[in-house]
Amino acid sequence: MHFISQDLEDYIEQHSENEPELLAKLNKETYQKILLPRMLSGHFQGRVLSMLSKLIRPVNILEIGTYTGYAALCLCEGMQENGQLHTIDIKEELIDFQRKYFDASPWGKQIFQHLGEAVNIIPTLEVKFDLVFIDADKENYLNYWEMIVPKMNKGGIILSDNVLWSGKILEPVHPNDLSTKVLLEYNLLLKNDPRVETVLLPIRDGLTVSRIL
């Protein structure tokens, strides 16, 4: 579902901060070489992630779902000098691609890649986080949420991507469509969870901002 017209999306990009050169290269190479390039956060959402990170000034960041590393680099833009970003993905074939761009950035030594299932890796991270970006398999969003909230610092921010799911959250749910079922439950949980305050933004495929109370 296109929530706004392509012309309006183009106007928004043109009147937002420019895409940094390194990210423009990453964007282009992702579309040239990697499957499912629409998974990339892209220029506009990337600038949103960058701005939020700069407002939050996190020390420790967690990203669930690295893909080619675009969002990770955007989140690093607001990270404090002594900060770390931990990013988790299951695709071993993307590790070297990610690392190439991480090392070409100012934050290469502060970005830690974790390969495997996030539900297994999150409990091993002995860190309190200031900023988390959830952008992985939708079936596990509820599990990720319950694992992450106790690891957050007070006032920390959890960002959840794809929560509008191409508009499927407004349509009759197919019995076999587990992702949509989980997202409907997830969106309701975030609205009612007394541990956070939440606003759902209609940015691209839906981005929820939840603040730990």
Side-chain angles (χ1 to χ4, degrees), residues 3-188:
F3 302 106
I4 60 175
S5 70
Q6 186 61 54
D7 288 342
L8 193 51
E9 287 188 3
D10 291 343
Y11 182 88
I12 290 169
E13 282 196 6
Q14 291 162 9
H15 291 81
S16 297
E17 193 69 18
N18 292 336
E19 185 178 39
E21 182 179 350
L22 179 64
L23 290 178
K25 290 180 180 177
L26 193 166
N27 194 334
K28 182 177 181 180
E29 189 172 359
T30 297
Y31 272 83
Q32 288 174 335
K33 299 180 179 179
I34 308 298
L35 292 173
L36 304 175
R38 284 178 57 83
M39 290 174 58
L40 191 84
S41 289
H43 177 186
F44 172 56
Q45 187 178 26
R47 292 305 86 205
V48 172
L49 296 176
S50 169
M51 181 68 76
L52 289 172
S53 184
K54 288 170 182 173
L55 291 170
I56 297 162
R57 296 291 292 139
V59 175
N60 293 312
I61 305 172
L62 172 63
E63 178 186 42
I64 305 174
T66 317
Y67 191 49
T68 55
Y70 190 102
L73 291 173
C74 293
L75 295 170
C76 282
E77 292 179 29
M79 184 170 63
Q80 295 190 33
E81 288 185 7
N82 62 332
Q84 297 181 347
L85 181 141
H86 294 266
T87 185
I88 305 170
D89 206 287
I90 60 171
K91 294 186 181 298
E92 185 175 3
E93 66 272 19
L94 293 179
I95 290 288
D96 291 341
F97 187 101
Q98 298 160 7
R99 180 47 61 184
K100 178 177 71 171
Y101 281 95
F102 292 161
D103 286 345
S105 80
W107 310 286
K109 294 181 180 179
Q110 296 166 268
I111 299 175
F112 298 89
Q113 296 162 285
H114 301 271
L115 179 64
E117 297 286 348
V119 290
N120 298 325
I121 293 170
I122 294 169
T124 71
L125 301 176
E126 298 180 0
V127 180
K128 282 282 192 176
F129 294 102
D130 307 295
L131 176 59
V132 173
F133 183 41
I134 304 175
D135 186 19
D137 56 313
K138 312 314 162 193
E139 292 88 347
N140 269 310
Y141 265 36
L142 293 165
N143 295 325
Y144 297 149
W145 179 261
E146 296 300 343
M147 299 174 84
I148 288 167
V149 171
K151 288 182 170 287
M152 297 296 295
N153 286 318
K154 186 176 180 179
I157 299 293
I158 301 174
L159 305 173
S160 308
D161 202 15
N162 304 117
V163 291
L164 295 180
W165 207 224
S166 298
K168 291 180 182 179
I169 42 83
L170 296 178
E171 300 170 355
V173 181
H174 190 278
N176 296 326
D177 187 354
L178 180 59
S179 294
T180 302
K181 290 179 182 178
V182 170
L183 283 172
L184 286 167
E185 186 176 349
Y186 184 78
N187 291 341
L188 194 59

